[in-house]
Amino acid sequence: AVLAGNHLTTCFFDPGAVAVTKYLPAATDAIGTVVFAIPSQVRENQFVTRVDATLSPNHTLYGRYFLDGYSNAAFYSPTNILITSQSGNKERAQALTIAETWIINQHTVNTFHASGTRRRDNRGPADGGINATTIGVTTYEPVPVGLNLAVNSKFSTYCGSCAVGHFNINTFSYTDDVNISFGKHQLSFGGEIARSQLNDTNTYLANGAFTFKGQYSKTGPAGTSKGGTALNNNLDFLTGAMSSYQQSIFSTSAVRSLVPSLYVQDTYHATQNFVVSAGVRWEPEVWPVDYFNRGTAFNMSNFLSNTISTAYPTAPAGLLFYGDKGIPRTITKSSLWQF
């Protein structure tokens, strides 16, 4: 509809949008410009130490430990919610390695390494913030803080990656390498087995994401059927005319992965000027599994024949789960014979 005098009265304003304006900073000039800066408070501390031990002329050990602590603070102000668009992070990374070198004889050396790493990342907004229910919007808000709102090319509050999230990654690996020198040969063989864990909970869009892109409101000189010529993002926001809304459940993972490998290699000094190196490595493709056996596979023939899962009979036809015939715990079949 064309509005008289190209003017929109406040009776058309959305109550939720009006409530948001109470948290916005005051304009710094007559045309509504806002100038602000997001505070920054970054801290990082690192610690590393190493211990070496000589057990005998042929036997040595060492241990090394590394610790890194990092934090990037999130901020909230009831008079400037624009500073919430920066995510807060508290991270701690640790690494421990223990190694042994054993000279078995004048031709043979064995080296063993055991290592473990852990990275923890706790992400989220500052305490005391708001969500959609705070401004009177009736929607499901499982997280007490977080209003993911964007007015295109104008302003935004919070963000998907500002939402509460907890991420832990643990990796453990064991390697052993043997080197044997005899005649014109240097033979090496060994292997590694690594196990990794990913545990995370990510709220991401659990509180929803409100986006306004100026698709419905036009301002400027009258003369068109919609009363103006320029799309207006702010006006869409003030009238509650969203261009999109997204919401999702929590994202959780409890993934376990095993990566084994073996190798053998021979370096042959055929002559003083000619050396041949040849070897083979076995490194299978072993797909990770979910600790709680979550995951699905889709079978088109089952779908067409209306065959349902025996593990979850209430699931739609064509979906298969761990426990159904031919479905391994990895859901996807591993490929063991990779060289």
Side-chain angles (χ1 to χ4, degrees):
V2 178
L3 301 175
N6 197 35
H7 178 73
L8 184 70
T9 60
T10 56
C11 67
F12 289 98
F13 288 175
D14 180 81
V18 173
V20 170
T21 63
K22 299 175 182 178
Y23 294 92
L24 297 176
T28 54
D29 61 23
I31 61 173
T33 304
V34 171
V35 178
F36 73 100
I38 298 177
S40 177
Q41 187 180 79
V42 178
R43 295 178 179 176
E44 185 169 12
N45 295 290
Q46 294 185 353
F47 170 79
V48 64
T49 187
R50 172 170 168 151
V51 176
D52 290 84
T54 301
L55 304 182
S56 73
N58 296 336
H59 204 177
T60 61
L61 292 173
Y62 82 79
R64 182 179 65 241
Y65 176 72
F66 172 77
L67 171 66
D68 179 86
Y70 170 88
S71 67
N72 186 6
F75 296 89
Y76 169 74
S77 168
T79 59
N80 186 1
I81 199 175
L82 301 182
I83 64 174
T84 60
S85 59
Q86 174 178 282
S87 173
N89 287 80
K90 291 183 178 180
E91 300 182 22
R92 169 171 285 190
Q94 301 176 79
L96 174 66
T97 299
I98 299 174
E100 175 198 44
T101 300
W102 178 28
I103 303 175
I104 299 174
N105 55 48
Q106 60 180 344
H107 301 290
T108 308
V109 178
N110 185 88
T111 305
F112 173 79
H113 289 82
S115 64
T117 62
R118 174 176 172 82
R119 185 173 70 97
R120 185 201 68 202
D121 181 5
N122 293 333
R123 184 194 71 194
D127 294 334
I130 67 173
N131 63 22
T133 59
T134 310
I135 60 173
V137 176
T138 303
T139 184
Y140 176 62
E141 298 285 274
V143 184
V145 176
L147 174 62
N148 189 350
L149 183 150
V151 181
N152 196 40
S153 301
K154 296 296 181 178
F155 72 91
S156 63
T157 64
Y158 294 95
C159 63
S161 59
C162 301
V164 175
H166 305 285
F167 310 91
N168 296 322
I169 300 175
N170 305 313
T171 302
F172 309 94
S173 67
Y174 309 92
T175 64
D176 194 82
D177 300 283
V178 179
N179 282 274
I180 303 175
S181 177
F182 59 95
K184 296 183 177 182
H185 297 267
Q186 181 181 344
L187 182 66
S188 303
F189 61 90
E192 177 182 24
I193 184 166
R195 180 173 176 81
S196 62
Q197 304 173 348
L198 168 62
N199 304 299
D200 70 65
T201 300
N202 186 3
T203 63
Y204 193 51
L205 297 179
N207 276 15
F210 305 81
T211 304
F212 301 85
K213 289 186 177 180
Q215 292 176 288
Y216 306 104
S217 306
K218 287 188 177 182
T219 57
T224 66
S225 61
K226 293 187 177 181
T229 58
L231 289 169
N232 192 292
N233 302 337
N234 279 342
L235 200 55
D236 270 10
F237 165 66
L238 286 172
T239 57
M242 281 189 298
S243 60
S244 68
Y245 176 76
Q246 301 177 67
Q247 191 169 24
S248 66
I249 62 173
F250 286 20
S251 171
T252 61
S253 296
V255 178
R256 305 293 184 263
S257 179
L258 185 68
V259 183
S261 62
L262 294 171
Y263 77 92
V264 59
Q265 177 175 310
D266 183 25
T267 302
Y268 174 54
H269 293 258
T271 68
Q272 185 176 357
N273 300 316
F274 183 66
V275 178
V276 177
S277 294
V280 63
R281 182 180 185 87
W282 174 69
E283 191 168 296
E285 184 86 44
V286 181
W287 286 91
V289 300
D290 183 86
Y291 182 81
F292 300 102
N293 298 323
R294 293 169 293 191
T296 60
F298 179 74
N299 185 290
M300 177 58 77
S301 61
N302 283 17
F303 173 74
L304 295 175
S305 63
N306 200 35
T307 302
I308 62 174
S309 164
T310 57
Y312 291 92
T314 57
L319 286 184
L320 299 174
F321 304 84
Y322 174 60
D324 286 319
K325 184 179 179 180
I327 304 300
R329 194 180 180 202
T330 57
I331 306 299
T332 301
K333 291 183 179 179
S334 298
S335 181
L336 298 180
W337 305 113
Q338 297 288 333
F339 291 92

